[in-house]
Amino acid sequence: MSDNGNIEKVVIVGSGPAGWTAALYASRANLSPLVFPGRALSKDVIPGGQLMLTTDVENYPGFPDGVKGPDMMDLFMRQSLRFGTRIVTDDGIATEAEGGLYGQFQNVDELDLSSQPFRIRGDGGHEAKAHAVIIATGAKANWLGIENEQRLATSGGGVSACAVCDGALPMFRDKVLGVVGGGDSAVEEATYLTKFASKVYIIHRRDQLRASKIMADRAKDSPKIEFAWNKVVTDVLGDKHISAVRLKDTVKNDESTLELGGLFLAIGHTPATEFLNGQLELDKKKYIKLKDPYRSYTSVDGVFAAGDCVDSVYRQAITAAGMGCKAAIDVERWLADKGLE
């Protein structure tokens, strides 16, 4: 990478709840943060994060009537811009976002953490150097990869990858719902959905759960949970809203149809950390490890992390935002300790 002169105090990579909150706090601390929001329609880091794929958000404080996920992220972005956040776009550095979160923002193509100042290059060619970096690239839900699944998920048609986020919505109440998966997350999501659904099917490719015994027993003891053993979803049916799924038996190889009013995927998440190329310490699931679970410091001095690229447990907008706040405060204090504020 070439040396472009100026050194940023902090560069933020990613722009979901964690990234925009970090930018808000950093900008209000006069750190003039520079954000690489991600690339619209990218398969990895997208501007606004996973909430851009969410319709109604009803569990974020301050929105008593709910709010659309993209609308909430647009508000987050505009609030951070108000106080001096700058965004890397294909046309240069912007202090406004005229195209909203669907603008031509840059993703990070290369990040060099081997020495100070850190060096960052966007996929549109912008290069920057920074004393501190906040990684807030999030994690993406694992999907089945079926065309109708993606269409109904992005249109609010009753397909979701987060029961805690969406399960209480009116569209799912008193309906027969399905959960795909067999681990603790799938059982936890199915158990949660029994509060609202008339019945919940756990659809699993094997004949027994991978979940812990206590979680498996909890599901088997629930009068509202039934199991579709040795089944995989091959198609999601429905026009504007899901009506059923087509299942294939992994043993007999025959097909069947299961009528559903909602489908939830619980087959794991993949953190967006591959671009780090092993420069930060990760856990066995590829989430960024923090030196102190109550702080945002990573294994490299001057690099901080927040949001779902760190959190494999909660994965909520509000927890990600809280972590973004902590990361910005940690950066501010770190820069002061180094005499770089």
Side-chain angles (χ1 to χ4, degrees):
M1 293 185 186
S2 62
D3 188 334
N4 66 351
N6 296 331
I7 302 176
E8 304 288 346
K9 292 180 179 178
V10 57
V11 163
I12 299 171
V13 184
S15 62
W20 290 130
T21 303
L24 172 62
Y25 273 77
S27 59
R28 282 176 50 82
N30 294 323
L31 299 182
S32 190
L34 182 66
V35 179
F36 285 80
R39 177 71 64 178
L41 304 179
S42 166
K43 65 178 182 178
D44 296 313
V45 181
I46 61 174
Q50 291 298 301
L51 280 177
M52 297 299 289
L53 308 177
T54 303
T55 51
D56 295 316
V57 179
E58 295 188 332
N59 57 0
Y60 198 95
F63 297 94
D65 298 319
V67 61
K68 301 293 185 184
D71 291 344
M72 186 167 76
M73 286 299 92
D74 187 70
L75 291 171
F76 272 44
M77 175 183 66
R78 295 184 186 283
Q79 188 174 2
S80 69
L81 288 171
R82 173 188 168 195
F83 294 101
T85 292
R86 296 167 300 133
I87 304 175
V88 180
T89 75
D90 285 343
D91 295 325
I93 296 177
T95 56
E96 298 180 356
E98 296 180 0
L101 282 163
Y102 298 96
Q104 292 301 307
F105 303 135
Q106 290 192 28
N107 200 358
V108 167
D109 187 53
E110 186 177 346
L111 179 63
D112 184 356
L113 304 177
S114 61
S115 61
Q116 279 274 9
F118 305 125
R119 295 173 180 265
I120 307 99
R121 184 171 65 196
D123 61 357
H126 183 80
E127 297 186 7
K129 296 188 294 183
H131 294 302
V133 172
I134 296 175
I135 308 296
T137 46
K140 58 182 179 180
N142 296 333
W143 298 88
L144 298 173
I146 299 170
E147 182 179 353
N148 281 337
E149 165 203 52
Q150 295 297 306
R151 179 178 62 82
L152 291 170
T154 55
S155 67
V159 178
S160 169
C162 182
V164 175
C165 308
D166 301 329
L169 293 174
M171 74 168 72
F172 296 119
R173 290 181 180 267
D174 300 316
K175 301 287 183 63
V176 177
L177 306 178
V179 175
V180 179
D184 281 349
S185 294
V187 172
E188 185 176 356
E189 299 238 314
T191 303
Y192 176 80
L193 289 171
T194 60
K195 299 177 182 179
F196 316 104
S198 60
K199 181 185 292 185
V200 179
Y201 283 95
I202 294 180
I203 304 167
H204 188 41
R205 62 174 55 247
R206 299 181 178 86
D207 60 359
Q208 59 182 351
L209 297 172
R210 293 182 291 104
S212 60
K213 186 177 185 304
I214 187 170
M215 293 293 290
D217 289 345
R218 186 178 302 168
K220 293 173 183 177
D221 291 341
S222 172
K224 282 192 173 183
I225 293 179
E226 294 191 22
F227 296 89
W229 298 116
N230 299 318
K231 298 290 191 298
V232 293
V233 177
T234 59
D235 200 2
V236 181
L237 309 179
D239 183 14
K240 293 183 178 180
H241 193 278
I242 181 176
S243 60
V245 291
R246 185 167 290 123
L247 302 176
K248 182 176 182 180
D249 194 290
T250 59
V251 177
K252 301 177 182 178
N253 215 33
D254 58 359
E255 292 192 346
S256 59
T257 299
L258 177 64
E259 294 185 359
L260 295 176
L263 182 68
F264 293 82
L265 284 298
I267 52 177
H269 290 73
T270 301
T273 56
E274 186 175 356
F275 78 101
L276 296 170
N277 292 320
Q279 296 180 92
L280 293 181
E281 186 177 357
L282 308 177
D283 66 17
K284 62 182 180 181
K285 295 180 180 180
K286 305 302 182 182
Y287 289 85
I288 297 172
K289 289 186 71 172
L290 300 179
K291 295 176 67 176
D292 179 336
Y294 296 102
R295 306 292 291 277
S296 62
Y297 291 84
T298 70
S299 57
V300 174
D301 191 36
V303 180
F304 304 80
D308 287 8
C309 61
V310 174
D311 175 20
S312 63
V313 178
Y314 299 104
R315 295 192 294 265
Q316 298 297 302
I318 192 166
T319 52
M323 295 176 76
C325 165
K326 292 197 296 183
I329 292 174
D330 285 342
V331 165
E332 182 184 5
R333 294 172 178 173
W334 183 87
L335 290 169
D337 288 343
K338 300 291 185 181
L340 299 171
E341 74 277 27

